[in-house]
Amino acid sequence: MTQWWNFSTFMALIVLVSGAIWAVDSWLLSPRRRLAGSASAVGGEEGHRHREKPAVVEYARSFFPVFLAVFVIRSFVVEPFRIPSGSMMPTLLIGDFIAVNKFSYGIRLPVTNRKILEIGEPDRGDVVVFRFPVDGETVFIKRVVGLPGDRIRYGGDKRLHVNGVEVDRGVPEVYEGTGSGSHMTGARRRLEILGEHTHGILYRNGQPTVEGEWQVPEGHYFVLGDNRDKSHDSRFWGFVPEENLIGPASIIWMNWDWGHGLDISRIGTSID
């Protein structure tokens, strides 16, 4: 069940309250103040005081356009997120700030998340941001592996099969982690090809993994983290409903790894 209170709800409330204060003052209170000021002392100091706007109205008038612009851009164009864990290493590192395209998979109403315009659908290999199906609220980011109707198999040998075909992956190399991801140093890194996406994956030989076979139902997606042994994904909790999708991650616009500082080399990196 989706919780009704989230940041979108908060922003919508701020926009409504500030806009309402400004509108009520413009249409009702401001004319009354002008009349009261004129009646008290035309042109005098007392009349000027009667005509002054209250501080709350000045704040509402100043900030309403800003709140509205942020709300519209965040709801329909692009939304920022920060990567808090290493489940998508080596593609995304801890501390990456990413931009998510809000209209690639359709236009949705803010707060209610109801889709009002169909535009596109996820492709296999897309890195997507979505609301965790278990609580409908926590934001997750994973890679789409299975589309509606696909049959997915992930084995104890850590090989991925889609519709009976093993997914191509390159020669393994030793991975060297940085910053908060240093604990992954020594893991195996391979290049995996999913659809039109070529991306790195991580795993450790000998480390237990979740294996199984899944049939993706209509209107749902099967997702995995690129850090295959360190990701809480569809292997554990099932499929992502289409209505839970927020959008594809498009670019890294900053990296700030707490305790390790700013990594300017990550700025502007596209996400494949």
Side-chain angles (χ1 to χ4, degrees):
M1 179 181 298
T2 301
Q3 300 178 20
W4 68 273
W5 182 259
N6 51 36
F7 188 73
S8 292
T9 307
F10 173 75
M11 283 301 302
L13 184 61
I14 290 294
V15 171
L16 287 174
V17 170
S18 58
I21 291 173
W22 187 15
V24 169
D25 181 76
S26 297
W27 298 336
L28 183 62
L29 302 182
S30 184
R32 291 182 179 179
R33 284 199 305 272
R34 286 196 296 270
L35 289 175
S38 299
S40 297
V42 178
E45 183 178 342
E46 185 178 353
H48 176 72
R49 186 171 62 251
H50 277 288
R51 289 193 296 269
E52 285 185 342
K53 289 184 174 66
V56 66
V57 174
E58 288 289 355
Y59 283 126
R61 184 178 67 86
S62 299
F63 288 109
F64 171 72
V66 178
F67 292 148
L68 180 62
V70 171
F71 180 70
V72 170
I73 291 172
R74 188 181 182 277
S75 298
F76 300 108
V77 183
V78 66
E79 185 172 1
F81 291 95
R82 181 181 182 272
I83 304 301
S85 74
S87 69
M88 281 297 292
M89 292 173 62
T91 305
L92 297 172
L93 305 183
I94 298 172
D96 279 344
F97 287 79
I98 63 171
V100 176
N101 189 321
K102 295 297 292 287
F103 56 83
S104 289
Y105 301 152
I107 301 296
R108 296 181 182 273
L109 293 175
V111 182
T112 65
N113 204 39
R114 178 187 175 189
K115 183 180 286 189
I116 57 175
L117 181 62
E118 295 280 353
I119 294 179
E121 298 176 344
D123 292 324
R124 186 178 290 108
D126 283 1
V127 176
V128 297
V129 175
F130 58 93
R131 294 178 178 84
F132 186 34
V134 174
D135 63 13
E137 186 65 27
T138 306
V139 176
F140 273 35
I141 181 167
K142 305 292 178 187
R143 188 177 298 275
V144 173
V145 169
L147 303 177
D150 281 348
R151 188 175 75 257
I152 305 299
R153 181 161 67 86
Y154 191 80
D157 57 2
K158 306 188 181 180
R159 295 180 183 272
L160 175 65
H161 294 76
V162 178
N163 297 323
V165 178
E166 183 179 340
V167 174
D168 292 335
R169 58 182 194 169
V171 177
E173 58 184 33
V174 178
Y175 180 73
E176 184 176 349
T178 60
S180 296
S182 295
H183 64 283
M184 290 304 300
T185 295
R188 293 294 182 267
R189 179 182 183 273
R190 286 180 183 262
L191 286 180
E192 183 178 78
I193 301 175
L194 276 174
E196 298 181 355
H197 298 270
T198 301
H199 56 276
I201 61 170
L202 295 182
Y203 65 91
R204 291 187 185 274
N205 289 329
Q207 183 166 331
T209 188
V210 176
E211 53 185 300
E213 189 165 334
W214 301 265
Q215 183 74 36
V216 186
E218 290 299 319
H220 292 73
Y221 297 88
F222 189 91
V223 297
L224 293 177
D226 288 347
N227 193 350
R228 295 290 160 80
D229 292 334
K230 297 290 185 180
S231 176
H232 188 55
D233 48 40
S234 287
R235 295 170 294 177
F236 296 87
W237 41 258
F239 310 104
V240 179
E242 188 275 337
E243 58 266 23
N244 285 46
L245 296 175
I246 296 175
S250 57
I251 195 170
I252 299 167
W253 55 273
M254 190 178 74
N255 175 283
W256 182 270
D257 187 356
W258 306 120
H260 299 278
L262 177 69
D263 183 355
I264 61 175
S265 67
R266 305 280 298 166
I267 298 174
T269 303
S270 60
I271 299 172
D272 192 11

